[in-house]
Amino acid sequence: MTAATLVAECGDFSPCSHPRQLMAFTGLVPMESSSGKTPSCGTKTGNVHGRRAVVESAHNYRCRPTMPGAVRRRLALIPEWEAGLRPISWRAPVRLHGRLQRIGVKKGYAPAYTAVGRELCGYVWEVAVWTRATLRAEETPPAAAKEGTVAH
């Protein structure tokens, strides 16, 4: 649901050449806490709906990730071209759960959810880039290229 919300808000991720650009689009940028004459940076100026969806989704990483039997059976039914998504789909919850626990204990859970949401944006971007590259590789060439003719 979070990825669908980001796609609805951002459209195609092609303008984002790096995950930091998607994170900035949602307004999930690191904030600077400084005193004195240095101004504070990182205001929440991004897309409100995308940021809310990502931070709410970060709450799902409170529990340790597991692979119950039903999930294993569903993964076995996934076509082979999507096998490249399996490492990403398992690496993300393991890393995000650990990060949430470390930051939550150290700084509190409110900033931890935001940090995990920022990193979740990076994983969504990674899957979008992987999918785009896979679909481009599977595209068939135009009819003129098949016949060996060159279009001028």
Side-chain angles (χ1 to χ4, degrees):
M1 293 301 293
T2 302
T5 302
L6 286 175
V7 168
E9 293 296 325
C10 181
D12 187 17
F13 293 139
S14 57
C16 302
S17 61
H18 197 273
R20 283 189 216 123
Q21 291 175 334
L22 180 60
M23 296 169 193
F25 173 79
T26 59
L28 294 170
V29 292
M31 296 186 75
E32 177 183 337
S33 298
S34 54
S35 59
K37 296 181 181 180
T38 306
S40 181
C41 300
T43 59
K44 295 179 182 178
T45 59
N47 186 288
V48 177
H49 301 294
R51 182 175 56 248
R52 183 185 57 82
V54 170
V55 172
E56 280 184 9
S57 183
H59 287 260
N60 292 320
Y61 296 102
R62 289 174 296 172
C63 302
R64 188 172 54 90
T66 60
M67 182 89 62
V71 174
R72 274 196 207 109
R73 287 190 292 276
R74 265 184 273 148
L75 284 176
L77 298 174
I78 292 177
E80 285 303 314
W81 72 272
E82 294 179 359
L85 287 177
R86 288 181 186 165
I88 298 170
S89 67
W90 183 247
R91 187 177 73 225
V94 170
R95 178 172 168 88
L96 295 176
H97 169 72
R99 187 164 170 85
L100 181 66
Q101 295 305 311
R102 281 190 309 276
I103 296 174
V105 167
K106 187 176 180 181
K107 295 186 176 183
Y109 281 92
Y113 291 130
T114 304
V116 169
R118 174 182 163 82
E119 197 160 333
L120 180 60
C121 275
Y123 281 112
V124 169
W125 180 86
E126 183 180 9
V127 169
V129 167
W130 181 89
T131 304
R132 191 178 324 128
T134 303
L135 292 177
R136 277 193 198 134
E138 290 181 353
E139 285 180 353
T140 57
K146 285 183 184 177
E147 297 172 7
T149 59
V150 177
H152 294 279

